[in-house]
Amino acid sequence: MMKNNFEIVPPKTRSEMEHNIALVFENALNQIKSGNETPVDSFTHFTLPHIQKLKFLPNGRVLLSSIDERLRLQGNTLNNLKFMPKPKRIGDEDS
């Protein structure tokens, strides 16, 4: 599916939304494992409070009404990053 590179398309199904929220969890774990203090501080300040507010159903799925706007937007952004073209460095061009 071709997407506009600058358009964040919202998820169409519950499973897509859960996938996007899982990307936020994965990104958070990668930041913690990196050992770099700046991403960890950023995660602790901006993302962790919203993750802590998530509620889960008895079957383990996320209660969609507990996903706030910031967490939803972060998940959608992380999902759409895979569709963005890789940045080109100025020195990498063939002249």
Side-chain angles (χ1 to χ4, degrees):
M1 173 170 78
M2 295 298 290
K3 288 187 178 183
N4 180 346
N5 290 335
F6 302 104
E7 178 183 10
I8 295 180
V9 180
K12 293 183 171 131
T13 64
R14 179 188 181 96
S15 62
E16 287 178 5
M17 173 63 86
E18 289 174 339
H19 172 263
N20 293 353
I21 299 303
L23 290 176
V24 175
F25 279 105
E26 182 180 343
N27 185 48
L29 289 174
N30 289 337
Q31 288 178 356
I32 292 169
K33 288 179 183 178
S34 73
N36 189 349
E37 289 184 22
T38 304
V40 173
D41 290 342
S42 175
F43 162 74
T44 304
H45 182 71
F46 295 110
T47 307
L48 184 61
H50 304 287
I51 289 177
Q52 288 175 329
K53 292 179 185 175
L54 283 177
K55 295 179 182 171
F56 295 89
L57 297 171
N59 63 359
R61 297 183 88 173
V62 175
L63 180 64
L64 294 181
S65 62
S66 69
I67 299 172
D68 68 1
E69 188 71 16
R70 291 182 186 181
L71 195 59
R72 182 193 61 79
L73 182 60
Q74 186 176 1
N76 292 349
T77 302
L78 288 172
N79 183 52
N80 283 298
L81 282 176
K82 63 184 171 189
F83 298 107
M84 297 293 290
K86 294 200 178 201
K88 294 182 182 178
R89 294 175 61 184
I90 295 173
D92 290 346
E93 296 177 5
D94 293 329
S95 300

